[in-house]
Structures are given as C-alpha cells and as structure tokens.
Amino acid sequence: EVPPWSSHELTEIANIGFPLLKINVSEELKKRLAQESYGSPHLMQEFCRALCRIKGIEESLTHEVQICSLDESIFHDVAEGTGKIIYDRLAKGPRQRKDRIQRKLAKGGKVDIYKVVLFALAEMKPGMDKIEYEKLRTAIRHVLNDNIPQAHEVSRVLDKMSEIASSDEASTPVIDWEKEEQILHITDPFFAFYLKWGVFG
C-alpha cells in the first residue's frame, strides 16, 4: 500500500517542474493545488498540466512568467477527466427488471436512489474521510424534497455500490461500505475530488 503524499511532497512536484518551464508559481497557489490533491501525486500533476494548458504553455519559455492565482474552473475541468467514469457506473447501479422510484430533489429535477446517495455525498464534500451513516442520512434529507428513503434502502444501495466499486477494473475500490460499523470510506482521491468538483460543476 502506498500512503498518501504529504503537502510538502506534493508541492515538490510544482517546485521541480515549473522552474524547468520558467514558470514562477506563488507558494500560496502551490499549497492550494496540493490541498486539492487529497494526497495524490497524479492529481497534483493533472493540476500542473491544466495550469500550463490554460496559460498556453507547451514548452520552456524564453522569459520567466509569474502565476499567482487561478480560476477555479481548472478544478471542474480536471474533475471531468478523473472520477466521472466510476461515478457514472455507481449512479447507474445494478441492472434490474423494473424502473426505480424517481425522487424529487430540493434543487429541482428527479433522480433515483443511487443518484440521491451520490448527490448527498457530493453535498458533504467528504474528501478522504470516513462517513458515518447518520451524517449521510442527514445529507440525503437536505438533498430531497420529500419521499426520504428508509434506512434499509440506503444501506442496500451502499451494499450494491460497494459491490460495483470492487468489481470495477481499478486496482482498489473507490468506496468501501462497512455494514456492521455503519461507516462508508471514500478510498480513492480521484473519486473524492470528483464528488467535490465534478458532480455539481
């Protein structure tokens, strides 16, 4: 198991890479990128690449350029290319013979219980933290107008999502549901990042 990288280790990616391109990125901005990386060097590299792409930098410059701020749309753009595939798989849920009940969202529109759970997680923006079941239930109440699913329905959905996540081609599941402990773990930084920046982006 590879432990998450520290903030210092993540900023080293920027410290080494940007000067080679003659880009001077502020310390504050590098810390922000590291903070959004959830311990993943791959996400940090994605941010650095996206920053260069936005600035139109494709090779080493002839003179130094300063970058002290960024538009947060960079995170929405990176999110689209990271956790969306597994998110869509979880939102689809397992195959079933009959249509699922559509529930009204507080923000408008209707979705089934699988998307309700994912929308609730996105509203929580949990990062890589473990999530207690009751906190997730509270978030579900905020997301929905009415027709709140029963506790056993949510638990069943988390069971199924865990199965889908563990059968995915990725090396490790993006979520892990401990039914007895009633705790959900977000185990993948790309998925955590997508919940924060991609779902409502």
Side-chain angles (χ1 to χ4, degrees):
E1 186 177 332
V2 180
W5 284 32
S6 68
S7 181
H8 171 72
E9 288 170 325
L10 291 165
T11 53
E12 275 303 291
I13 292 172
N15 289 339
I16 293 167
F18 282 128
L20 295 174
L21 297 167
K22 292 201 174 162
I23 304 170
N24 186 344
V25 177
S26 70
E27 290 302 313
E28 190 179 326
L29 182 48
K30 284 186 277 191
K31 281 179 189 170
R32 174 73 197 282
L33 296 178
Q35 178 190 347
E36 294 291 346
S37 297
Y38 295 130
S40 167
H42 303 294
L43 267 176
M44 185 68 178
Q45 288 171 328
E46 286 294 331
F47 299 153
C48 294
R49 185 170 69 166
L51 198 57
C52 289
R53 190 169 55 241
I54 286 170
K55 299 292 181 182
I57 299 167
E58 296 178 356
E59 57 189 353
S60 293
L61 301 169
T62 53
H63 59 281
E64 189 177 88
V65 167
Q66 296 260 355
I67 302 178
C68 299
S69 63
L70 59 73
D71 187 323
E72 287 197 337
S73 65
I74 187 175
F75 297 128
H76 296 294
D77 293 343
V78 171
E80 279 301 302
T82 56
K84 188 176 189 318
I85 293 170
I86 185 61
Y87 174 89
D88 287 345
R89 227 169 261 159
L90 296 177
K92 189 176 178 184
R95 287 184 189 171
Q96 65 174 48
R97 291 175 211 155
K98 58 180 183 177
D99 291 339
R100 296 191 189 105
I101 297 167
Q102 297 293 301
R103 300 166 197 267
K104 285 184 185 175
L105 295 169
K107 293 180 179 178
K110 291 181 178 181
V111 295
D112 71 17
I113 192 168
Y114 283 83
K115 277 203 172 171
V116 166
V117 170
L118 289 169
F119 281 5
L121 284 172
E123 189 167 273
M124 293 173 78
K125 297 178 177 38
M128 298 292 286
D129 294 336
K130 61 184 181 183
I131 302 156
E132 291 174 7
Y133 181 65
E134 283 311 314
K135 287 185 179 174
L136 176 59
R137 291 266 295 150
T138 301
I140 287 171
R141 289 187 196 99
H142 288 157
V143 165
L144 287 176
N145 242 351
D146 53 27
N147 198 9
I148 310 298
Q150 298 293 315
H152 73 273
E153 292 178 284
V154 176
S155 183
R156 181 177 49 78
V157 165
L158 292 171
D159 270 340
K160 292 292 182 188
M161 281 186 174
S162 219
E163 280 176 30
I164 293 165
S166 62
S167 65
D168 188 62
E169 292 157 15
S171 55
T172 53
V174 297
I175 61 168
D176 181 28
W177 168 236
E178 289 185 45
K179 193 171 184 177
E180 281 70 34
E181 302 294 325
Q182 297 280 284
I183 291 172
L184 179 69
H185 300 270
I186 305 291
T187 54
D188 181 79
F190 285 91
F191 185 63
F193 180 74
Y194 187 77
L195 286 174
K196 181 175 181 181
W197 291 102
V199 178
F200 298 124

